[in-house]
Structure formats: C-alpha cells, structure tokens
Amino acid sequence: MGVFSKTCEYAIRSVFFIAHRTTSGSRVGIKEIANGIDSPEHFLAKILQDLSRRGIVQSVKGPNGGFYIDEIGLKRPLSDVVEAVDGKSIFTGCGLGLAYCSETNPCPLHHEFKAIRNQLKNLLEQTTIADFSESLNLGITKLRK
Amino acid sequence: MGVFSKTCEYAIRSVFFIAHRTTSGSRVGIKEIANGIDSPEHFLAKILQDLSRRGIVQSVKGPNGGFYIDEIGLKRPLSDVVEAVDGKSIFTGCGLGLAYCSETNPCPLHHEFKAIRNQLKNLLEQTTIADFSESLNLGITKLRK
DNA sequence: TTAATAAAAGATGAATAACTCTTTTATTTT
DNA sequence: AAAATAAAAGAGTTATTCATCTTTTATTAA
Ligand code: FES
Ligand code: FES
C-alpha cells in the first residue's frame, strides 16, 4: 500500500501526461494516455470521467477529441487532484487511525507525524500541475516503469 | 486511506498498549487490549497471533495468560512492526506507483517525495516501542478516540 | 446525412482488506 | 484430575478497491 491509492496514482500520472502532451487546442485520447502511463485503459477512463466532472480535466468527444487541461487547470495545485480522488484525510488524518487527530488528545506519533504530513501537504499545495509537467518536458522525469 | 493499513494501525496501537500495560511478568488479555485501543477483538487477535509468530510480541495461554513484550522487543524500533504488517514498500516505493523508484528514472515527485519518505523512515527506525510508551505513561498521549 | 471517432455510462467480475464466529489447544488453579 | 481460563487456529462473511467489458451518446469530418 502506498501513500496514495492506486486510483489516485493513475489520476496524478494521467494529469501530468495530459498536461505534457497537449498544447493549446490539442487533445489526447484515452488509449494514448493509458499506454503512456502504463495503466488499465477502462479503469483510467472511469477516473478521467470523474476528474472531468469535477473540472480538473476537460474533454471533447468525437474525432480529434480527447482530454486536455485548460489554462486554469494547469495552474491548479496537485493537491486538488489528490483531494478529488482520495479526499483530504491524507492531509488531516491521524497516522494511527484515531477518529480525530488533535492536539488535546494526541496519539504517540502525533507531533512527528504531523510534521511529515504537513510537508506532504505543502509539496502538493505549492506545486502546480504545470510545474510538474516542466520536468517531463525536459525529459528528466518519467511516468512509466 | 491512511499512510498505514488499518491492520497496521491496530498493530501499532496494540503494541503500544501492551508495552504500556505490562511490567515484568504481567500480561494483558486480548479483550482488554481490544477495548483499550478501540479495535474489533477477533480481528486484533489475528494480528497479534501474527506478531507473536514473528516474535514482535510474546504470549502465554491459560489463566493469567495474555500478551506481553519482552526486553528485546521493547527496544525494537517501530519500523519492525510496520514492516511485519505492511512490508517495507512504504520506505522504498514510488509515490506515483511506478514499478521501481529510481534516481535514473525518477517520477516528477521523486526528489521531494523521497525526502518525506525518508523522514518517516527515520522516525520509525530511530524510535523504539519503549520510547513511545513513555508518553503513554506520562498520560500525555492516547490510543483511542 | 452517413460513417467514423472518442468519451460517457453501466454492468459485471476479481482481488484484497477488513471483520466475525466457532472450534481447538494449551495452561493453570483448585 | 477437573474446571476454568485464555490464546491459537481456521473457516467464513462483508465491504472496498481495482479492473474489465459492453453499450450508448455525442461530436465531427467527409
Ligand atoms: S493524533 Fe495521531 S497523528 Fe495526530
Ligand atoms: S520514482 Fe517516484 S518516488 Fe522515486
């Protein structure tokens, strides 16, 4: 089990892939995305439909259709994608699964865990989708294998 | 979904509880542990049976029996518990689910994610079970609600 | 307007995680 | 030795996550 659910991992990778492959006006099909990020095609379709409904990505049907991300979307922090799929408990929940993570009733891991959790939160909130696709453009990062 | 699986959360909490409630020679029963950490009794029994087989905790059957943790166990780092239940992928796996997390083929999150992952690793490796139960003894931390 | 294209939607299936219940076995106290 | 106690073991259930396949709907190009 990773930090993010499998669904969320696919969501993040696909968003990076779409941001990287599409320039203004162009779109990329589900097959190409699934292949590009090494994910099950139909499962990814579900995920992207959901992200589309939530406005994280945009889609156009028909020939030359496909998915793309608009200007506003590119400037969104990655945390928006994570929250849309896995919810925000990863940013606020107790590491030991207590019902509430609180200062007044902390678990033994609380202080140290909270610090780590906040680092993750900051990373995802302070970096935009566009920022991440930069490193893909430069060819220094990968989305499969 | 948290950082640890539900099973692992119960495992950690029960280990803390046992360490806290048992002094030399004394044991604590499964019912009391389950109640003390707010977990399903029979599910926890399974988990403790597994931890017992792996030598993380010890148990004695019969009247006045129950679970306890020996001297060696108390000095073990918490990472031993986590690894026994969730495996070590949490310390080494790619945040975006790529087959291998590597410097040569990094995903866009690699560097930042690796730093956070290592902090978690250090926290769990450098603090012993006894250390954590200290704060329980002092009554400043809790294991339920 | 027809054919091609591609996403949307829905039904279903497999795998894993989470949880419950019952029976067995070992130990200890009386 | 008998009764009581408590964990060990194992079978079985439910829920959730992950994944696949098929059908439908929307769009566009010819
Ligand atoms: S109470 Fe557990 S992390 Fe805050
Ligand atoms: S390659 Fe993704 S975290 Fe290292």
Side-chain angles (χ1 to χ4, degrees):
Chain A
M1 178 198 259
V3 170
F4 307 116
S5 68
K6 221 105 197 37
T7 303
C8 192
E9 290 174 352
Y10 291 145
I12 297 171
R13 273 151 61 196
S14 64
V15 161
F16 288 166
F17 186 86
I18 296 168
H20 173 239
R21 278 296 175 90
T22 61
T23 49
S24 61
S26 77
R27 293 127 196 178
V28 58
I30 188 78
K31 277 207 184 75
E32 197 179 344
I33 303 172
N35 181 61
I37 69 168
D38 196 21
S39 77
E41 180 186 330
H42 294 98
F43 188 42
L44 182 63
K46 289 283 185 193
I47 297 167
L48 286 177
Q49 278 161 32
D50 189 51
L51 290 182
S52 169
R53 245 175 264 118
R54 292 166 184 272
I56 308 278
V57 303
Q58 285 72 42
S59 71
V60 172
K61 291 183 178 184
N64 295 322
F67 292 91
Y68 68 100
I69 302 178
D70 62 22
E71 285 302 307
I72 300 165
L74 288 172
K75 285 175 188 146
R76 253 190 267 272
L78 191 56
S79 55
D80 282 11
V81 178
V82 173
E83 275 190 36
V85 180
D86 278 353
K88 52 186 182 248
S89 74
I90 193 173
F91 303 128
T92 59
C94 168
L96 294 191
L98 301 193
Y100 304 102
C101 168
S102 64
E103 303 291 334
T104 52
N105 255 34
C107 74
L109 256 64
H110 178 77
H111 285 97
E112 292 88 345
F113 185 81
K114 190 181 163 193
I116 293 171
R117 202 180 58 189
N118 281 341
Q119 286 210 348
L120 184 66
K121 185 177 149 86
N122 289 340
L123 164 60
L124 298 179
E125 282 181 350
Q126 287 166 11
T127 320
T128 66
I129 292 167
D131 290 337
F132 283 113
S133 77
E134 266 305 293
S135 68
L136 283 170
N137 284 330
L138 297 171
I140 54 177
T141 62
K142 299 281 161 59
L143 291 176
R144 44 176 303 159
K145 267 293 159 55
Chain B
M1 180 200 256
V3 170
F4 308 116
S5 69
K6 220 107 198 36
T7 303
C8 191
E9 289 174 353
Y10 291 144
I12 297 172
R13 273 150 63 196
S14 64
V15 161
F16 288 167
F17 186 87
I18 295 167
H20 172 239
R21 279 291 177 91
T22 62
T23 48
S24 62
S26 77
R27 292 126 196 180
V28 58
I30 187 79
K31 276 206 186 75
E32 197 179 342
I33 303 171
N35 181 60
I37 68 167
D38 195 22
S39 76
E41 181 184 330
H42 294 98
F43 187 43
L44 181 62
K46 288 284 186 192
I47 297 167
L48 286 177
Q49 279 162 31
D50 189 53
L51 290 181
S52 169
R53 244 176 265 117
R54 292 166 184 271
I56 308 277
V57 302
Q58 285 71 42
S59 71
V60 173
K61 290 183 179 185
N64 296 321
F67 292 92
Y68 67 100
I69 302 178
D70 63 20
E71 285 302 306
I72 299 166
L74 288 172
K75 287 176 187 144
R76 251 189 269 272
L78 191 57
S79 55
D80 282 11
V81 178
V82 173
E83 274 189 38
V85 180
D86 279 353
K88 51 186 184 251
S89 73
I90 194 173
F91 302 128
T92 58
C94 168
L96 295 192
L98 301 193
Y100 305 101
C101 168
S102 64
E103 303 291 333
T104 50
N105 255 32
C107 73
L109 256 65
H110 178 77
H111 284 97
E112 292 88 344
F113 185 82
K114 190 181 165 193
I116 294 171
R117 203 179 58 189
N118 281 341
Q119 286 209 348
L120 184 67
K121 185 176 148 90
N122 289 340
L123 163 62
L124 298 178
E125 281 182 351
Q126 288 167 8
T127 320
T128 67
I129 292 166
D131 291 337
F132 283 114
S133 76
E134 267 303 294
S135 67
L136 283 169
N137 285 330
L138 297 172
I140 54 175
T141 60
K142 300 282 161 57
L143 290 177
R144 44 175 302 159
K145 267 291 159 52

